[in-house]
Amino acid sequence: MKSLADIRFLITAGPTREFFDPIRYISNRSSGKMGYAIAEAARAISSAVMLVSGPTALTPPKGVEFVPVTTAQEMAEAVWSRFEAVDVCIMAAAVCDFRPKKTAASKIKKGSFSGVLELEPTPDILAELGRRKKSQVLVGFAAETDDLESNAREKLVRKGLDFIVANDTSAFDAETNRVAFIGHEGKVERLTELPKSEVAKAIIERAVRLVR
Ligand code: CTP
């Protein structure tokens, strides 16, 4: 058994941005608050915490190795290259699922825009980690508007996770979160609505129990 202070964490947070010209992008409402709170909770027990974050308005917690990224592709490279050296990886980032097929080199002029933006899928960072995983504890999030628990359970299996944190989309940009943990034991652990700092502690506690 590793001592708590020796556990190495990799946490992701925030949205990604997918550009279609030098100044315009598609993104989502993620504030990064949940991921930053998780990094802070991890830092309270270990000094080996890396935070890979998309653009947010937040200040990274003190003592955390901070890796800023912008796009899903950059986040994928930052995470995949660090994964082998950690014990716990928690993907709280709201990675854009799609990106524009082309990024124009100069600002698209109103008059020359067709009105159609062609998109292609971004890499599924977490699913790839699930394939590469050895002894790491791998945790994902599922933000859903409908059928939260059944969708989350499907992602748990498809992405090779140890457990998944299911929350409804009202948590986006909020100070609190109401989550359920779904693991392989079949039983759903539902938490009451709590500040994100408390949810973060519960996630870290559960992940740490699974470290081999
Ligand atoms: N995720 C990821 N890479 C992506 C998309 C999502 O690593 N390109 C991660 C998220 O960080 C989260 C988990 O996968 O931990 C679930 O994300 P979600 O968007 O809910 O699931 P999707 O795989 O996008 O599935 P769907 O669009 O069917 O809901």
Side-chain angles (χ1 to χ4, degrees):
M1 260 292 273
K2 271 191 176 260
S3 81
L4 283 183
D6 290 334
I7 298 177
R8 298 159 300 174
F9 292 89
L10 175 59
I11 318 288
T12 68
T16 64
R17 289 180 182 171
E18 312 299 331
F19 286 83
F20 53 95
D21 79 11
I23 54 169
R24 301 190 183 104
Y25 54 83
I26 55 172
S27 191
N28 58 63
R29 285 174 50 204
S30 168
S31 64
K33 286 175 192 159
M34 192 64 249
Y36 279 55
I38 296 170
E40 192 144 11
R43 181 67 187 86
I45 61 166
S46 165
S47 53
V49 180
M50 290 184 279
L51 173 62
V52 175
S53 174
T56 75
L58 306 173
T59 306
K62 275 210 183 68
V64 161
E65 186 186 333
F66 185 64
V67 183
V69 297
T70 305
T71 64
Q73 188 62 39
E74 288 169 11
M75 186 172 281
E77 286 160 21
V79 169
W80 292 339
S81 66
R82 288 169 175 81
F83 182 60
E84 218 180 282
V86 302
D87 305 297
V88 174
C89 177
I90 302 173
M91 281 285 310
V95 185
C96 287
D97 285 322
F98 292 95
R99 64 186 169 207
K101 252 190 174 164
K102 291 193 199 121
T103 309
S106 350
K107 185 185 168 204
I108 298 171
K109 302 299 283 176
K110 202 162 45 202
S112 63
F113 182 54
S114 68
V116 176
L117 198 56
E118 263 200 280
L119 304 178
E120 62 183 14
T122 56
D124 191 322
I125 303 172
L126 191 53
E128 177 60 24
L129 295 178
R131 288 188 283 273
R132 293 186 187 189
K133 166 170 146 52
K134 296 200 173 77
S135 61
Q136 294 94 334
V137 175
L138 189 57
V139 182
F141 269 71
E144 310 283 348
T145 49
D146 310 293
D147 300 327
L148 179 63
E149 285 175 16
S150 63
N151 279 323
R153 206 177 287 284
E154 181 275 323
K155 279 177 196 169
L156 171 79
V157 174
R158 177 163 50 88
K159 303 199 186 199
L161 309 179
D162 291 282
F163 71 92
I164 191 156
V165 183
N167 57 210
D168 68 45
T169 49
S170 63
F172 271 75
D173 206 18
E175 298 304 324
T176 60
N177 200 354
R178 184 192 209 111
V179 304
F181 296 146
I182 301 172
H184 293 282
E185 71 287 352
K187 151 172 136 289
V188 179
E189 188 187 338
R190 292 185 190 82
L191 271 56
T192 53
E193 185 170 345
L194 292 167
K196 286 184 173 173
S197 56
E198 293 302 314
V199 175
K201 280 186 206 155
I203 293 169
I204 291 296
E205 268 167 32
R206 187 171 170 132
V208 159
R209 284 205 300 271
L210 298 173
V211 174
R212 289 151 278 248

mmCIF file of all heavy atoms in Angstrom, residues 12 14 72 75 80 90-98 121-129 139-144 151 154-155 158-159 161 164-165, ligand 1:
data_model
loop_
_atom_site.group_PDB
_atom_site.id
_atom_site.type_symbol
_atom_site.label_atom_id
_atom_site.label_comp_id
_atom_site.label_asym_id
_atom_site.label_seq_id
_atom_site.Cartn_x
_atom_site.Cartn_y
_atom_site.Cartn_z
ATOM 1 N N THR A 12 -7.860 16.928 -14.641
ATOM 2 C CA THR A 12 -8.139 17.875 -15.726
ATOM 3 C C THR A 12 -9.353 18.715 -15.350
ATOM 4 O O THR A 12 -10.204 18.280 -14.579
ATOM 5 C CB THR A 12 -8.416 17.191 -17.078
ATOM 6 O OG1 THR A 12 -9.657 16.482 -17.002
ATOM 7 C CG2 THR A 12 -7.294 16.252 -17.466
ATOM 8 N N GLY A 14 -11.952 22.394 -16.606
ATOM 9 C CA GLY A 14 -12.300 23.478 -17.538
ATOM 10 C C GLY A 14 -12.779 22.988 -18.886
ATOM 11 O O GLY A 14 -12.826 21.794 -19.163
ATOM 12 N N ALA A 72 -8.846 20.524 -27.349
ATOM 13 C CA ALA A 72 -8.956 19.111 -26.944
ATOM 14 C C ALA A 72 -7.684 18.354 -27.343
ATOM 15 O O ALA A 72 -7.192 17.508 -26.592
ATOM 16 C CB ALA A 72 -10.177 18.471 -27.612
ATOM 17 N N MET A 75 -5.036 19.147 -24.876
ATOM 18 C CA MET A 75 -5.313 18.468 -23.609
ATOM 19 C C MET A 75 -4.979 16.981 -23.737
ATOM 20 O O MET A 75 -4.371 16.386 -22.831
ATOM 21 C CB MET A 75 -6.772 18.667 -23.184
ATOM 22 C CG MET A 75 -7.048 18.088 -21.810
ATOM 23 S SD MET A 75 -8.678 18.477 -21.145
ATOM 24 C CE MET A 75 -8.454 20.147 -20.557
ATOM 25 N N TRP A 80 -2.075 12.376 -22.071
ATOM 26 C CA TRP A 80 -1.536 11.069 -22.464
ATOM 27 C C TRP A 80 -0.050 10.957 -22.109
ATOM 28 O O TRP A 80 0.411 9.904 -21.711
ATOM 29 C CB TRP A 80 -1.756 10.825 -23.963
ATOM 30 C CG TRP A 80 -3.211 10.638 -24.324
ATOM 31 C CD1 TRP A 80 -4.226 10.272 -23.469
ATOM 32 C CD2 TRP A 80 -3.817 10.817 -25.606
ATOM 33 N NE1 TRP A 80 -5.420 10.217 -24.157
ATOM 34 C CE2 TRP A 80 -5.206 10.546 -25.463
ATOM 35 C CE3 TRP A 80 -3.338 11.186 -26.868
ATOM 36 C CZ2 TRP A 80 -6.101 10.613 -26.538
ATOM 37 C CZ3 TRP A 80 -4.229 11.263 -27.932
ATOM 38 C CH2 TRP A 80 -5.586 10.966 -27.771
ATOM 39 N N ILE A 90 -8.138 11.903 -12.760
ATOM 40 C CA ILE A 90 -9.547 12.301 -12.683
ATOM 41 C C ILE A 90 -9.833 13.308 -13.797
ATOM 42 O O ILE A 90 -9.288 14.411 -13.805
ATOM 43 C CB ILE A 90 -9.868 12.915 -11.298
ATOM 44 C CG1 ILE A 90 -9.525 11.892 -10.190
ATOM 45 C CG2 ILE A 90 -11.348 13.325 -11.226
ATOM 46 C CD1 ILE A 90 -9.628 12.429 -8.774
ATOM 47 N N MET A 91 -10.672 12.899 -14.745
ATOM 48 C CA MET A 91 -10.985 13.758 -15.903
ATOM 49 C C MET A 91 -12.260 14.548 -15.630
ATOM 50 O O MET A 91 -13.359 14.099 -15.949
ATOM 51 C CB MET A 91 -11.214 12.888 -17.152
ATOM 52 C CG MET A 91 -9.980 12.378 -17.858
ATOM 53 S SD MET A 91 -9.043 13.571 -18.851
ATOM 54 C CE MET A 91 -10.276 14.333 -19.881
ATOM 55 N N ALA A 92 -12.080 15.725 -15.031
ATOM 56 C CA ALA A 92 -13.235 16.582 -14.770
ATOM 57 C C ALA A 92 -13.438 17.610 -15.881
ATOM 58 O O ALA A 92 -14.409 18.368 -15.846
ATOM 59 C CB ALA A 92 -13.061 17.289 -13.425
ATOM 60 N N ALA A 93 -12.536 17.650 -16.853
ATOM 61 C CA ALA A 93 -12.646 18.649 -17.928
ATOM 62 C C ALA A 93 -13.882 18.383 -18.784
ATOM 63 O O ALA A 93 -14.284 17.239 -18.973
ATOM 64 C CB ALA A 93 -11.398 18.609 -18.802
ATOM 65 N N ALA A 94 -14.459 19.479 -19.287
ATOM 66 C CA ALA A 94 -15.564 19.374 -20.243
ATOM 67 C C ALA A 94 -14.948 19.516 -21.635
ATOM 68 O O ALA A 94 -14.913 20.606 -22.214
ATOM 69 C CB ALA A 94 -16.580 20.472 -19.973
ATOM 70 N N VAL A 95 -14.417 18.401 -22.117
ATOM 71 C CA VAL A 95 -13.716 18.396 -23.411
ATOM 72 C C VAL A 95 -14.762 18.540 -24.523
ATOM 73 O O VAL A 95 -15.774 17.837 -24.508
ATOM 74 C CB VAL A 95 -12.972 17.055 -23.604
ATOM 75 C CG1 VAL A 95 -12.141 17.084 -24.878
ATOM 76 C CG2 VAL A 95 -12.107 16.721 -22.387
ATOM 77 N N CYS A 96 -14.522 19.438 -25.465
ATOM 78 C CA CYS A 96 -15.456 19.547 -26.599
ATOM 79 C C CYS A 96 -15.432 18.237 -27.382
ATOM 80 O O CYS A 96 -14.357 17.709 -27.692
ATOM 81 C CB CYS A 96 -15.037 20.681 -27.544
ATOM 82 S SG CYS A 96 -15.355 22.298 -26.871
ATOM 83 N N ASP A 97 -16.596 17.719 -27.701
ATOM 84 C CA ASP A 97 -16.665 16.458 -28.453
ATOM 85 C C ASP A 97 -16.395 16.667 -29.939
ATOM 86 O O ASP A 97 -16.034 15.732 -30.640
ATOM 87 C CB ASP A 97 -18.063 15.839 -28.288
ATOM 88 C CG ASP A 97 -18.241 15.223 -26.910
ATOM 89 O OD1 ASP A 97 -17.277 14.636 -26.406
ATOM 90 O OD2 ASP A 97 -19.343 15.343 -26.344
ATOM 91 N N PHE A 98 -16.628 17.896 -30.409
ATOM 92 C CA PHE A 98 -16.448 18.181 -31.841
ATOM 93 C C PHE A 98 -15.593 19.423 -32.025
ATOM 94 O O PHE A 98 -15.588 20.310 -31.169
ATOM 95 C CB PHE A 98 -17.811 18.411 -32.515
ATOM 96 C CG PHE A 98 -18.631 17.148 -32.574
ATOM 97 C CD1 PHE A 98 -19.564 16.865 -31.590
ATOM 98 C CD2 PHE A 98 -18.433 16.230 -33.595
ATOM 99 C CE1 PHE A 98 -20.301 15.690 -31.624
ATOM 100 C CE2 PHE A 98 -19.161 15.061 -33.644
ATOM 101 C CZ PHE A 98 -20.093 14.773 -32.656
ATOM 102 N N PRO A 121 -15.103 14.804 -34.935
ATOM 103 C CA PRO A 121 -14.931 14.470 -33.519
ATOM 104 C C PRO A 121 -13.514 14.772 -33.040
ATOM 105 O O PRO A 121 -12.558 14.677 -33.808
ATOM 106 C CB PRO A 121 -15.168 12.959 -33.468
ATOM 107 C CG PRO A 121 -15.555 12.530 -34.827
ATOM 108 C CD PRO A 121 -15.341 13.644 -35.787
ATOM 109 N N THR A 122 -13.386 15.144 -31.772
ATOM 110 C CA THR A 122 -12.069 15.294 -31.137
ATOM 111 C C THR A 122 -11.675 13.920 -30.577
ATOM 112 O O THR A 122 -12.527 13.035 -30.463
ATOM 113 C CB THR A 122 -12.161 16.295 -29.965
ATOM 114 O OG1 THR A 122 -13.171 15.825 -29.070
ATOM 115 C CG2 THR A 122 -12.488 17.693 -30.438
ATOM 116 N N PRO A 123 -10.408 13.726 -30.218
ATOM 117 C CA PRO A 123 -10.053 12.451 -29.595
ATOM 118 C C PRO A 123 -10.774 12.275 -28.264
ATOM 119 O O PRO A 123 -10.928 13.255 -27.529
ATOM 120 C CB PRO A 123 -8.540 12.558 -29.362
ATOM 121 C CG PRO A 123 -8.120 13.919 -29.720
ATOM 122 C CD PRO A 123 -9.272 14.649 -30.341
ATOM 123 N N ASP A 124 -11.240 11.075 -27.965
ATOM 124 C CA ASP A 124 -11.813 10.800 -26.648
ATOM 125 C C ASP A 124 -10.646 10.491 -25.709
ATOM 126 O O ASP A 124 -10.097 9.386 -25.698
ATOM 127 C CB ASP A 124 -12.811 9.646 -26.714
ATOM 128 C CG ASP A 124 -13.605 9.522 -25.413
ATOM 129 O OD1 ASP A 124 -13.012 9.733 -24.326
ATOM 130 O OD2 ASP A 124 -14.811 9.239 -25.480
ATOM 131 N N ILE A 125 -10.246 11.488 -24.948
ATOM 132 C CA ILE A 125 -9.037 11.400 -24.111
ATOM 133 C C ILE A 125 -9.181 10.271 -23.095
ATOM 134 O O ILE A 125 -8.290 9.445 -22.916
ATOM 135 C CB ILE A 125 -8.796 12.745 -23.384
ATOM 136 C CG1 ILE A 125 -8.695 13.884 -24.412
ATOM 137 C CG2 ILE A 125 -7.548 12.675 -22.510
ATOM 138 C CD1 ILE A 125 -8.653 15.278 -23.799
ATOM 139 N N LEU A 126 -10.338 10.243 -22.452
ATOM 140 C CA LEU A 126 -10.571 9.287 -21.365
ATOM 141 C C LEU A 126 -10.646 7.850 -21.879
ATOM 142 O O LEU A 126 -10.100 6.929 -21.248
ATOM 143 C CB LEU A 126 -11.877 9.686 -20.662
ATOM 144 C CG LEU A 126 -12.216 9.025 -19.349
ATOM 145 C CD1 LEU A 126 -11.067 9.158 -18.348
ATOM 146 C CD2 LEU A 126 -13.479 9.649 -18.764
ATOM 147 N N ALA A 127 -11.299 7.645 -23.018
ATOM 148 C CA ALA A 127 -11.408 6.280 -23.552
ATOM 149 C C ALA A 127 -10.014 5.738 -23.880
ATOM 150 O O ALA A 127 -9.719 4.563 -23.647
ATOM 151 C CB ALA A 127 -12.292 6.269 -24.791
ATOM 152 N N GLU A 128 -9.149 6.615 -24.377
ATOM 153 C CA GLU A 128 -7.772 6.191 -24.687
ATOM 154 C C GLU A 128 -7.020 5.841 -23.390
ATOM 155 O O GLU A 128 -6.267 4.874 -23.342
ATOM 156 C CB GLU A 128 -7.062 7.299 -25.470
ATOM 157 C CG GLU A 128 -5.593 7.035 -25.798
ATOM 158 C CD GLU A 128 -5.352 5.786 -26.644
ATOM 159 O OE1 GLU A 128 -6.272 5.358 -27.372
ATOM 160 O OE2 GLU A 128 -4.244 5.217 -26.545
ATOM 161 N N LEU A 129 -7.258 6.611 -22.327
ATOM 162 C CA LEU A 129 -6.628 6.291 -21.034
ATOM 163 C C LEU A 129 -7.122 4.930 -20.552
ATOM 164 O O LEU A 129 -6.347 4.141 -19.991
ATOM 165 C CB LEU A 129 -6.944 7.357 -19.987
ATOM 166 C CG LEU A 129 -6.404 8.761 -20.233
ATOM 167 C CD1 LEU A 129 -6.844 9.700 -19.112
ATOM 168 C CD2 LEU A 129 -4.874 8.773 -20.339
ATOM 169 N N VAL A 139 -10.890 7.915 -13.199
ATOM 170 C CA VAL A 139 -12.208 8.439 -12.820
ATOM 171 C C VAL A 139 -12.686 9.412 -13.897
ATOM 172 O O VAL A 139 -11.931 10.282 -14.336
ATOM 173 C CB VAL A 139 -12.125 9.180 -11.462
ATOM 174 C CG1 VAL A 139 -13.501 9.687 -11.032
ATOM 175 C CG2 VAL A 139 -11.521 8.273 -10.386
ATOM 176 N N GLY A 140 -13.929 9.251 -14.314
ATOM 177 C CA GLY A 140 -14.506 10.172 -15.295
ATOM 178 C C GLY A 140 -15.732 10.862 -14.744
ATOM 179 O O GLY A 140 -16.221 10.535 -13.654
ATOM 180 N N PHE A 141 -16.221 11.816 -15.504
ATOM 181 C CA PHE A 141 -17.455 12.521 -15.171
ATOM 182 C C PHE A 141 -18.482 12.233 -16.256
ATOM 183 O O PHE A 141 -18.118 11.982 -17.407
ATOM 184 C CB PHE A 141 -17.208 14.032 -15.129
ATOM 185 C CG PHE A 141 -16.813 14.521 -13.767
ATOM 186 C CD1 PHE A 141 -15.571 14.217 -13.249
ATOM 187 C CD2 PHE A 141 -17.690 15.277 -13.000
ATOM 188 C CE1 PHE A 141 -15.195 14.660 -11.988
ATOM 189 C CE2 PHE A 141 -17.330 15.736 -11.745
ATOM 190 C CZ PHE A 141 -16.094 15.424 -11.233
ATOM 191 N N ALA A 142 -19.737 12.294 -15.895
ATOM 192 C CA ALA A 142 -20.793 12.226 -16.902
ATOM 193 C C ALA A 142 -21.771 13.355 -16.600
ATOM 194 O O ALA A 142 -22.377 13.380 -15.535
ATOM 195 C CB ALA A 142 -21.503 10.892 -16.839
ATOM 196 N N ALA A 143 -21.822 14.302 -17.496
ATOM 197 C CA ALA A 143 -22.777 15.405 -17.359
ATOM 198 C C ALA A 143 -23.897 15.131 -18.344
ATOM 199 O O ALA A 143 -23.657 15.043 -19.545
ATOM 200 C CB ALA A 143 -22.097 16.726 -17.686
ATOM 201 N N GLU A 144 -25.087 14.960 -17.830
ATOM 202 C CA GLU A 144 -26.190 14.551 -18.697
ATOM 203 C C GLU A 144 -27.404 15.415 -18.409
ATOM 204 O O GLU A 144 -27.608 15.869 -17.280
ATOM 205 C CB GLU A 144 -26.595 13.081 -18.422
ATOM 206 C CG GLU A 144 -25.450 12.084 -18.411
ATOM 207 C CD GLU A 144 -24.954 11.703 -19.792
ATOM 208 O OE1 GLU A 144 -25.647 12.034 -20.774
ATOM 209 O OE2 GLU A 144 -23.881 11.097 -19.881
ATOM 210 N N ASN A 151 -26.896 6.438 -18.545
ATOM 211 C CA ASN A 151 -25.843 6.940 -19.439
ATOM 212 C C ASN A 151 -24.477 6.867 -18.761
ATOM 213 O O ASN A 151 -23.471 6.530 -19.395
ATOM 214 C CB ASN A 151 -26.115 8.392 -19.832
ATOM 215 C CG ASN A 151 -27.118 8.497 -20.962
ATOM 216 O OD1 ASN A 151 -27.119 7.682 -21.870
ATOM 217 N ND2 ASN A 151 -27.972 9.492 -20.900
ATOM 218 N N GLU A 154 -23.109 3.334 -18.675
ATOM 219 C CA GLU A 154 -22.628 2.931 -20.001
ATOM 220 C C GLU A 154 -21.224 3.509 -20.242
ATOM 221 O O GLU A 154 -20.332 2.821 -20.735
ATOM 222 C CB GLU A 154 -23.649 3.400 -21.057
ATOM 223 C CG GLU A 154 -23.335 3.043 -22.499
ATOM 224 C CD GLU A 154 -22.411 4.032 -23.181
ATOM 225 O OE1 GLU A 154 -22.520 5.255 -22.927
ATOM 226 O OE2 GLU A 154 -21.546 3.576 -23.945
ATOM 227 N N LYS A 155 -20.993 4.762 -19.821
ATOM 228 C CA LYS A 155 -19.669 5.396 -20.000
ATOM 229 C C LYS A 155 -18.603 4.743 -19.122
ATOM 230 O O LYS A 155 -17.453 4.623 -19.521
ATOM 231 C CB LYS A 155 -19.736 6.891 -19.659
ATOM 232 C CG LYS A 155 -20.287 7.709 -20.797
ATOM 233 C CD LYS A 155 -20.446 9.175 -20.468
ATOM 234 C CE LYS A 155 -21.362 9.781 -21.526
ATOM 235 N NZ LYS A 155 -21.815 11.110 -21.195
ATOM 236 N N ARG A 158 -17.706 1.620 -21.108
ATOM 237 C CA ARG A 158 -17.116 1.912 -22.419
ATOM 238 C C ARG A 158 -15.736 2.546 -22.281
ATOM 239 O O ARG A 158 -14.837 2.277 -23.075
ATOM 240 C CB ARG A 158 -18.052 2.843 -23.205
ATOM 241 C CG ARG A 158 -17.517 3.286 -24.558
ATOM 242 C CD ARG A 158 -18.616 3.839 -25.467
ATOM 243 N NE ARG A 158 -19.461 4.846 -24.842
ATOM 244 C CZ ARG A 158 -19.196 6.159 -24.836
ATOM 245 N NH1 ARG A 158 -18.124 6.615 -25.435
ATOM 246 N NH2 ARG A 158 -20.016 7.011 -24.249
ATOM 247 N N LYS A 159 -15.520 3.378 -21.255
ATOM 248 C CA LYS A 159 -14.239 4.081 -21.123
ATOM 249 C C LYS A 159 -13.284 3.401 -20.142
ATOM 250 O O LYS A 159 -12.221 3.932 -19.850
ATOM 251 C CB LYS A 159 -14.479 5.545 -20.739
ATOM 252 C CG LYS A 159 -15.381 6.282 -21.760
ATOM 253 C CD LYS A 159 -15.283 7.789 -21.679
ATOM 254 C CE LYS A 159 -16.305 8.453 -22.602
ATOM 255 N NZ LYS A 159 -15.987 9.853 -22.906
ATOM 256 N N LEU A 161 -13.423 2.766 -16.809
ATOM 257 C CA LEU A 161 -13.184 3.564 -15.602
ATOM 258 C C LEU A 161 -13.316 2.724 -14.338
ATOM 259 O O LEU A 161 -13.988 1.699 -14.329
ATOM 260 C CB LEU A 161 -14.198 4.716 -15.547
ATOM 261 C CG LEU A 161 -14.307 5.557 -16.815
ATOM 262 C CD1 LEU A 161 -15.359 6.639 -16.643
ATOM 263 C CD2 LEU A 161 -12.962 6.165 -17.175
ATOM 264 N N ILE A 164 -17.366 6.517 -11.936
ATOM 265 C CA ILE A 164 -17.745 7.714 -12.675
ATOM 266 C C ILE A 164 -18.564 8.612 -11.755
ATOM 267 O O ILE A 164 -19.298 8.126 -10.890
ATOM 268 C CB ILE A 164 -18.493 7.338 -13.984
ATOM 269 C CG1 ILE A 164 -18.654 8.541 -14.909
ATOM 270 C CG2 ILE A 164 -19.843 6.666 -13.708
ATOM 271 C CD1 ILE A 164 -18.841 8.167 -16.377
ATOM 272 N N VAL A 165 -18.379 9.909 -11.906
ATOM 273 C CA VAL A 165 -19.115 10.899 -11.130
ATOM 274 C C VAL A 165 -20.203 11.438 -12.045
ATOM 275 O O VAL A 165 -19.906 12.088 -13.048
ATOM 276 C CB VAL A 165 -18.180 12.043 -10.680
ATOM 277 C CG1 VAL A 165 -18.938 13.041 -9.801
ATOM 278 C CG2 VAL A 165 -16.942 11.498 -9.968
HETATM 279 N N1 CTP B 1 -14.046 13.164 -22.329
HETATM 280 C C1 CTP B 1 -12.796 13.032 -22.883
HETATM 281 N N2 CTP B 1 -12.572 13.340 -24.188
HETATM 282 C C2 CTP B 1 -13.593 13.787 -24.974
HETATM 283 C C3 CTP B 1 -14.902 13.919 -24.422
HETATM 284 C C4 CTP B 1 -15.090 13.609 -23.097
HETATM 285 O O1 CTP B 1 -11.860 12.614 -22.170
HETATM 286 N N3 CTP B 1 -13.344 14.094 -26.236
HETATM 287 C C5 CTP B 1 -14.254 12.797 -20.916
HETATM 288 C C6 CTP B 1 -14.770 13.906 -20.007
HETATM 289 O O2 CTP B 1 -13.703 14.584 -19.382
HETATM 290 C C7 CTP B 1 -15.604 13.143 -18.975
HETATM 291 C C8 CTP B 1 -16.083 11.917 -19.743
HETATM 292 O O3 CTP B 1 -15.234 11.796 -20.890
HETATM 293 O O4 CTP B 1 -14.819 12.693 -17.886
HETATM 294 C C9 CTP B 1 -17.506 11.926 -20.202
HETATM 295 O O5 CTP B 1 -17.726 13.044 -20.987
HETATM 296 P P1 CTP B 1 -19.138 13.280 -21.697
HETATM 297 O O6 CTP B 1 -19.038 14.496 -22.548
HETATM 298 O O7 CTP B 1 -20.227 13.195 -20.671
HETATM 299 O O8 CTP B 1 -19.249 11.957 -22.569
HETATM 300 P P2 CTP B 1 -19.023 11.669 -24.088
HETATM 301 O O9 CTP B 1 -17.971 10.668 -24.233
HETATM 302 O O10 CTP B 1 -18.791 12.939 -24.796
HETATM 303 O O11 CTP B 1 -20.391 10.974 -24.526
HETATM 304 P P3 CTP B 1 -21.801 11.582 -25.021
HETATM 305 O O12 CTP B 1 -21.519 12.662 -26.011
HETATM 306 O O13 CTP B 1 -22.452 10.385 -25.620
HETATM 307 O O14 CTP B 1 -22.523 12.060 -23.796
#
